[in-house]
Amino acid sequence: MQVRVLVRLKPGVLDPQGRAVHHALEGLGFAGVEDVRIGRLIELDVANGTDHTALTAMCEKLLANTVIESFTIEGLGEPEGTR
Amino acid sequence: MAFRAAVITFPGSNCDRDMAVALEQISGAPAIRVWHGDAELPERLDLIALPGGFSYGDYLRSGAMAATSPIMRAVVAAASRGVPVLGVCNGFQVLTEARLLPGALLRNAGQRFICRTVALTVENTSSLFTSAYVPGEQIRIPVAHHDGNYFADAETLDRLEGEGRVAFRYAEACNGSARDIAGVLSANGRVLGMMPHPERAIEPAAVSALGGSDGRRLFESVFAALASA
């Protein structure tokens, strides 16, 4: 079973990498970019039946640092879980 | 009794030898080297040191993988019993990832790796690690990091400052750290994480070209506190 975890910096956490990319986009002449935030996509292949609780624990213990990051679990065939 | 300090080496640690040399120079006793895959620490430790480097190639987040290693479970257990823990640079990142210290270390605000000697203000001189410094003293210690930008929410920062848990602050612009925080203490004052490298500034004044000697008193503080305990 394929699961995707999207890890994003929380609002208010400075993202210097995103800022640099934003600047580079403007340098390339792309107008109208208001902001750029860079996150991380983690694809997991897990045993069928792996429940949301287990995936949430994986995110909280390792995949995301909840001090600075939020995460979204997608592809479970059930309503998306967002924290 | 001889001072018993353990230096943990993770795959990718690169300041473990410097840390061991600093501890040996100041305490006169050899540091015990411990590998990340060990499940247990030596007994009766006076100090556990987590060195700088790039543990696990900084995969996922700096310090995140190391925080899950077998030895870190033992370090967390030892810290909960009150064994002093010092984390420098990558060691500081590991301590935040292991939740032994609050906050997180983000990419430097300027995006660049910073490798130079910086001025620090010693904010707390009553801790186990800082008692040999003078309140408000400025010292010079080398930094070498890419992810040293300390972050915590405002409430946490207020609490750290209110409880005197900011050990060191940058006295000059460095990496964008919240409130210029360079080092923080745990609630019981027995865990210190700092980005600057005191172990790189321990040479006697005669050879102070090698990074100065301002880091020396950090180790002397710990040694004095534990020798008199």
Side-chain angles (χ1 to χ4, degrees):
Chain A
M1 178 171 78
Q2 296 289 327
V3 175
R4 299 200 309 171
V5 173
L6 286 166
V7 180
R8 296 179 173 90
L9 281 176
K10 286 181 175 175
V13 177
L14 182 73
D15 181 5
Q17 203 179 174
R19 187 183 287 179
V21 170
H22 187 186
H23 186 72
L25 284 171
E26 287 176 338
L28 289 170
F30 293 104
V33 181
E34 298 295 333
D35 195 16
V36 177
R37 307 278 288 170
I38 294 180
R40 177 185 285 117
L41 167 65
I42 301 170
E43 293 181 331
L44 305 173
D45 190 356
V46 298
N48 287 334
T50 303
D51 65 11
H52 192 264
T53 308
L55 288 161
T56 300
M58 291 180 207
C59 291
E60 289 177 340
K61 283 195 172 163
L62 180 61
L63 302 181
N65 178 343
T66 54
V67 174
I68 49 173
E69 295 167 331
S70 62
F71 59 86
T72 310
I73 300 166
E74 293 177 349
L76 280 170
E78 58 184 72
E80 272 186 18
T82 302
R83 301 260 315 222
Chain B
M1 196 186 295
F3 187 76
R4 283 173 62 83
V7 177
I8 315 286
T9 299
F10 301 98
S13 294
N14 62 13
C15 301
D16 44 339
R17 181 189 171 277
D18 287 11
M19 182 66 83
V21 168
L23 289 165
E24 287 176 28
Q25 276 203 10
I26 281 114
S27 72
I32 305 164
R33 307 296 292 271
V34 179
W35 180 238
H36 74 111
D38 294 346
E40 288 180 19
L41 287 161
E43 292 185 343
R44 293 182 293 102
L45 287 177
D46 294 309
L47 176 71
I48 300 166
L50 306 186
F54 300 86
S55 56
Y56 297 86
D58 282 349
Y59 287 0
L60 195 62
R61 298 175 302 277
S62 303
M65 308 299 293
T68 70
S69 65
I71 199 63
M72 281 309 294
R73 282 193 282 278
V75 171
V76 170
S80 72
R81 295 195 305 271
V83 178
V85 182
L86 168 66
V88 169
C89 199
N90 188 223
F92 185 14
Q93 295 160 345
V94 175
L95 289 174
T96 60
E97 284 285 345
R99 304 293 167 91
L100 282 174
L101 290 173
L105 283 311
L106 299 170
R107 178 58 41 105
N108 294 341
Q111 279 283 81
R112 289 171 192 257
F113 191 97
I114 301 170
C115 186
R116 63 186 161 91
T117 298
V118 299
L120 302 176
T121 307
V122 185
E123 296 283 332
N124 174 324
T125 54
S126 60
S127 85
L128 184 67
F129 301 94
T130 54
S131 59
Y133 294 104
V134 178
E137 183 180 356
Q138 259 200 28
I139 58 174
R140 294 185 60 78
I141 305 274
V143 297
H145 59 246
H146 210 165
D147 297 326
N149 179 354
Y150 186 72
F151 174 89
D153 59 41
E155 188 187 329
T156 304
L157 293 170
D158 288 344
R159 196 177 70 239
L160 288 174
E161 292 190 319
E163 294 174 355
R165 290 168 57 190
V166 176
F168 301 101
R169 247 187 257 272
Y170 298 106
E172 59 186 81
C174 185
N175 52 27
S177 286
R179 303 187 193 178
D180 295 321
I181 291 172
V184 298
L185 292 155
S186 61
N188 69 0
R190 299 182 78 80
V191 179
L192 170 66
M194 59 190 295
M195 290 310 298
H197 288 269
E199 81 282 7
R200 294 191 189 180
I202 57 150
E203 300 299 337
V207 282
S208 63
L210 300 173
S213 58
D214 282 348
R216 200 173 173 88
R217 277 177 290 162
L218 186 142
F219 297 99
E220 289 170 349
S221 299
V222 180
F223 184 54
L226 298 172
S228 63

